[in-house]
């Protein structure tokens, strides 16, 4: 460890020699181009990151209905970490430790908390994540946060990238199923824009249920710093995906079901739907001037079609659009057709005139290329090309944006550059840095919904197939298949230079504020003392951990006590995490280097109950244990 204290790690030293080796091979003149190497499948091809080498990119993967977020390294596609968010997680005790319960419950509405309490719960046990979005400053990733939606229980969450842990969870009132989620890019994040997918009556309290025509959709802006709802807008139609511009003026959302029906036939009856464009300044001014209606304590303005407000404009697009993707040059927004084979290109700059009433809605459309059957999402390489995932055709289609615009004007040009088969039925696609102004066009992932025959059969439930495609050359090249568990809807790929996680916790991190306050009130020095505090029928057991032992190898409580175990990890070495698992009590938790963690449970079972460290930490890790004696 001394090498780390000198500011130089073994990796830095090795990295130096690798660089020298790489230079030597360049001078030897035998370096394959990226696509040559990938095509030949040669070891040392660009997607192959040899043992001991680090990936160039972080990938933030949604875990779909597993409720988590995963961190992958690219181009190796190695899964590096799982960050529990809306799920209950066994390894870390997420959803069971006092600290995680607080994060998972404090942002719920009073009505939800009351409902859950009656079920004997403090929070939901599951979620459905779709859209992981890293925060921005001036259109570039700034490495502060990743935000993610929960469609299942109408929440959003924030993950701190310095420690790669969830630190805030917020239920969105007045909404129903948060699906599309994007961030304000300029000047910074800023707002988190949340789409309520399902239309409901407001208030949703058992009145006005009979006539779905009277239900409403709602669009929410959350302040990403305070994680409080800033304002909401009533909208027409079911909001699907959204995206914000690069100037901070507008945000837009695709909508299906402009028919406002409730059956599939009703929802798809009309050949056109719309995308709704929100004027952020107009909404902020109305809210500031007190012109919004307060619903559940939130200022709400009416942006529905029939309200003809200054808050929204509805641009007609072909039936049931899905993906909504802003191009990294800041000029265009792509609305992906889904039921139509087209992608509709809207020019952001035209919106000023549209809101001023100088032009009509369709005047904002500058292109509508035919891409293939079932275009879902589009990403970009920063060189003027777009890449659209085409679900029914199972393809990624590369097309040129400028050519698509020229073709729309009547010129005889074909914008399509290449169609690449993927396996199979691709949902989202995302290119490296493609959702920021620093799009670098190196890698693209195709998140395929079906893997069918691509992997060993694991029974009726198959993994999905996340494919890696090299887009650095003129031609797309498929270089890697990666099975994933349910269900990555979307992923964001961020260069490693943008993300700076720490190795060791700050023992005074705000995450531990409650524990510090509790210890102070108990006269305990948190992180140093080992003490048992008895407070009526409550017992607080403070102990520390240092490999390979707990500071307390035995403690005694009376049957019926409500016990809180607080463990402070004194190890300050990278990668030295301990755990605390208490046999037979549903208690387990992770305690990272210099972290504190606590778990409260009832000691209702007389006898000897061992606790042990479940995180392999030392040659004597098995011996890292102690006993809780419960007296009858
Ligand atoms: S959605 Cu799943 S494939 Cu929720 Cu972004 Cu399009
Ligand atoms: Cu500490 Cu294993």
């Amino acid at each position: 460890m001394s090498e780390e204290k000198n500011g130089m790690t073994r990796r830095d030293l090795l990295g130096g020699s690798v660089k020298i080796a790489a230079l030597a091979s360049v001078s030897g003149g035998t370096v394959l181009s990226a696509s040559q190497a990938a095509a030949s499948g040669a070891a040392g091809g660009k997607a192959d990151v040899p043992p001991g080498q680090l990936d160039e990119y972080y990938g933030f993967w949604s875990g779909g209905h597993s409720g988590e977020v995963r961190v992958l390294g690219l181009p190796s596609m190695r899964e590096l970490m799982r960050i529990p968010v809306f799920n209950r997680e066994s390894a870390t005790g997420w959803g069971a430790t006092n600290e995680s319960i607080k994060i998972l419950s404090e942002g719920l509405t009073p009505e939800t908390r009351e409902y859950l309490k009656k079920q004997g719960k403090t929070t939901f046990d599951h979620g459905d994540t779709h859209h992981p979005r890293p925060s921005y400053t001036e259109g570039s990733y700034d490495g502060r946060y990743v935000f993610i939606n929960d469609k299942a229980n109408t929440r959003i969450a924030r993950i701190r990238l310095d420690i790669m842990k969830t630190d805030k969870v917020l239920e969105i009132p007045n909404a129903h199923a948060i699906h599309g989620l994007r961030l304000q890019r300029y000047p910074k994040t800023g707002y988190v824009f949340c789409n309520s997918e399902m239309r409901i009556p407001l208030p949703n309290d058992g009145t006005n249920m009979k006539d779905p025509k009277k239900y409403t959709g709602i669009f929410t802006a959350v302040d990403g710093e305070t994680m409080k709802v800033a304002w909401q807008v009533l909208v027409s139609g079911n909001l699907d995906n959204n995206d914000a511009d690069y100037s901070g003026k507008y945000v837009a959302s695709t909508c299906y079901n402009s028919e406002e029906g409730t059956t599939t036939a009703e929802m798809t009856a009309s050949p056109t739907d719309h995308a709704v464009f929100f004027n952020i300044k107009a909404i902020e001014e109305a809210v500031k001037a007190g012109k919004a209606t307060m619903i559940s304590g939130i200022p709400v303005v009416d942006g529905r079609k029939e309200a003809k407000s200054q808050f929204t404009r509805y641009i007609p697009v072909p039936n049931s659009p899905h993906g909504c993707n802003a191009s990294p040059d800041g000029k265009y927004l792509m609305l992906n057709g889904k039921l139509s084979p087209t992608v509709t290109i809207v020019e952001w700059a035209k919106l000023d005139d549209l809101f001023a009433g100088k032009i009509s809605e369709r005047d904002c459309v500058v292109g509508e290329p035919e891409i293939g059957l079932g275009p879902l999402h589009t990403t970009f390489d920063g060189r003027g090309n777009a890449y659209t995932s085409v679900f029914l055709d199972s393809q990624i289609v590369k097309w040129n944006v400028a050519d698509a615009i020229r073709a729309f004007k009547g010129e005889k040009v074909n914008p399509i550059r290449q169609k690449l088969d993927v396996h199979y039925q691709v949902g989202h696609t995302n290119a490296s840095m493609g959702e920021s102004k620093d799009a670098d066009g190196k890698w693209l992932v195709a998140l395929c919904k079906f893997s069918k025959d691509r992997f060993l059969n694991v029974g009726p439930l198959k993994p999905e197939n996340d494919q890696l495609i090299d887009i650095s050359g003129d031609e797309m090249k498929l270089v890697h298949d990666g099975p994933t568990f349910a269900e990555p809807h979307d992923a964001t790929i961020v260069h490693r230079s943008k993300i700076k996680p720490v190795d060791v916790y700050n023992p005074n991190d705000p995450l531990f504020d409650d524990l510090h306050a509790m210890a102070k009130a108990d006269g305990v020095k948190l992180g140093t003392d080992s003490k048992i505090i008895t407070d009526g029928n409550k017992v607080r057991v403070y102990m520390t951990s240092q490999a390979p032992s707990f500071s307390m190898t035995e403690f005694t409580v009376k049957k019926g006590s409500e016990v809180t175990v607080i463990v402070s990890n004194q190890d300050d070495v990278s990668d030295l995490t301990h755990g605390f698992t208490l046999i037979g009590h549903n208690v387990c938790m992770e305690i990272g280097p210099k972290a504190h963690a606590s778990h409260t449970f009832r000691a209702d079972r007389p006898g000897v109950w061992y606790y042990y460290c479940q995180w392999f930490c030392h040659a004597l890790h098995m011996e890292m244990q102690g006993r809780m004696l419960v007296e009858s």
Side-chain angles (χ1 to χ4, degrees), residues 527-600:
T528 310
D529 292 351
S530 301
K531 250 187 199 169
I532 299 177
I533 307 289
T534 307
D535 171 7
N537 116 71
K538 293 187 173 143
V539 181
R540 290 184 284 279
V541 182
Y542 292 89
M543 67 174 85
T544 62
S545 64
Q546 188 156 42
S549 47
F550 294 110
S551 62
M552 214 180 265
T553 52
E554 182 189 318
F555 65 88
T556 303
V557 295
K558 291 215 160 46
K559 176 177 184 270
S561 307
E562 184 194 292
V563 181
T564 300
V565 172
I566 305 104
V567 182
S568 299
N569 186 352
Q570 293 184 323
D571 282 306
D572 60 357
V573 169
S574 173
D575 212 358
L576 224 165
T577 295
H578 294 292
F580 180 94
T581 294
L582 176 62
I583 291 166
H585 286 75
N586 217 11
V587 172
C588 80
M589 54 192 182
E590 164 212 349
I591 314 110
K594 291 308 255 182
H596 315 273
S598 73
H599 205 308
T600 299

Side-chain angles (χ1 to χ4, degrees), residues 86 97 121 156 162 194 213 254 273 280 419 482 520 528 558 620:
F86 301 111
T97 62
K121 305 236 172 229
I156 65 167
D162 59 339
C194 316
K213 290 265 177 249
T254 51
D273 273 312
I280 296 172
K419 295 189 171 190
K520 201 172 168 202
T528 310
K558 291 215 160 46
L620 293 173

Side-chain angles (χ1 to χ4, degrees), residues 243 254 275 277 315-327 332-347 362 364-380 384-391 393 395-409 415-416 419 427 429:
D243 208 353
T254 51
F277 288 74
I315 297 184
V317 292
N319 203 356
S320 290
H322 183 62
C324 188
N325 304 93
S327 61
Y332 307 109
L333 180 72
M334 311 301 172
L335 307 166
N336 298 258
K338 192 169 81 179
L339 297 191
S340 159
T342 53
V343 169
T344 304
I345 308 174
V346 169
E347 189 176 343
R362 282 295 294 188
C364 299
V365 173
V366 297
E368 208 153 54
E370 266 199 38
I371 303 296
L373 289 183
L376 289 189
H377 298 279
T378 295
T379 188
F380 308 91
N385 299 306
Y387 300 76
T388 300
S389 56
V390 185
F391 181 80
D393 285 342
Q395 286 180 327
I396 297 293
V397 177
K398 176 180 177 181
W399 53 282
N400 184 272
V401 178
D403 281 358
I405 293 170
R406 286 166 59 205
F408 194 68
K409 286 186 187 140
I416 305 292
K419 295 189 171 190
T429 183

Side-chain angles (χ1 to χ4, degrees), residues 545-550 576-579 613-618 621-622 624:
S545 64
Q546 188 156 42
S549 47
F550 294 110
L576 224 165
T577 295
H578 294 292
C613 171
Q614 84 273 23
W615 225 285
F616 212 112
C617 55
H618 191 274
H621 153 82
M622 296 300 287
M624 188 166 174

